[in-house]
Amino acid sequence: MTPMTPVTPANAVNAVNAVNAIDVTGARTHEAAEVITGARERIDALDDRIIGLIQERMAVSAVVQEARITSGGRRVNLSREMEILGHYSSALGRPGTALAMTLLELCRGRI
């Protein structure tokens, strides 16, 4: 809204929404707030997909563990877990190792 724009209920609501978007995003301009809001929506969608993939990984891991135990083996294969840790570390660096540890814990429980 510019100084010459007449004040109407719609303009007032738009101005409040613009200020709220800036407050919520931490941006200093309305344009930046719009970019951040759109990016956050994409991040939320990606997070939903990641959670779904983790749940799928947990289910597949349960099948592997059940087959291993049924055949007389151990629930956990430490050499395989080391491969997974190395893979995540190579792809994502040190934080990748922590992420892999969390995934392994989710998928097999604590050892």
Side-chain angles (χ1 to χ4, degrees):
M1 224 166 39
T2 65
M4 302 297 273
T5 304
V7 177
T8 66
N11 289 341
V13 168
N14 289 338
V16 168
N17 288 340
V19 169
N20 287 340
I22 290 171
D23 288 345
V24 170
T25 64
R28 294 189 178 232
T29 67
H30 181 66
E31 293 77 18
E34 287 178 357
V35 169
I36 292 167
T37 298
R40 284 181 176 175
E41 289 172 1
R42 180 74 175 126
I43 287 170
D44 290 345
L46 289 167
D47 284 343
D48 288 343
R49 287 176 47 202
I50 291 167
I51 290 167
L53 289 170
I54 291 169
Q55 290 169 332
E56 183 178 348
R57 189 188 193 288
M58 292 169 68
V60 172
S61 182
V63 169
V64 170
Q65 289 178 50
E66 181 63 29
R68 193 179 297 122
I69 292 167
T70 300
S71 71
R74 297 176 50 128
R75 179 172 63 103
V76 175
N77 181 330
L78 294 178
S79 64
R80 174 65 178 143
E81 289 195 357
M82 292 306 293
E83 289 176 25
I84 293 166
L85 290 169
H87 181 70
Y88 275 77
S89 178
S90 293
L92 302 172
R94 186 174 178 163
T97 303
L99 177 59
M101 287 296 296
T102 300
L103 283 171
L104 291 170
E105 185 176 335
L106 283 168
C107 291
R108 54 107 164 101
R110 294 179 184 248
I111 45 176

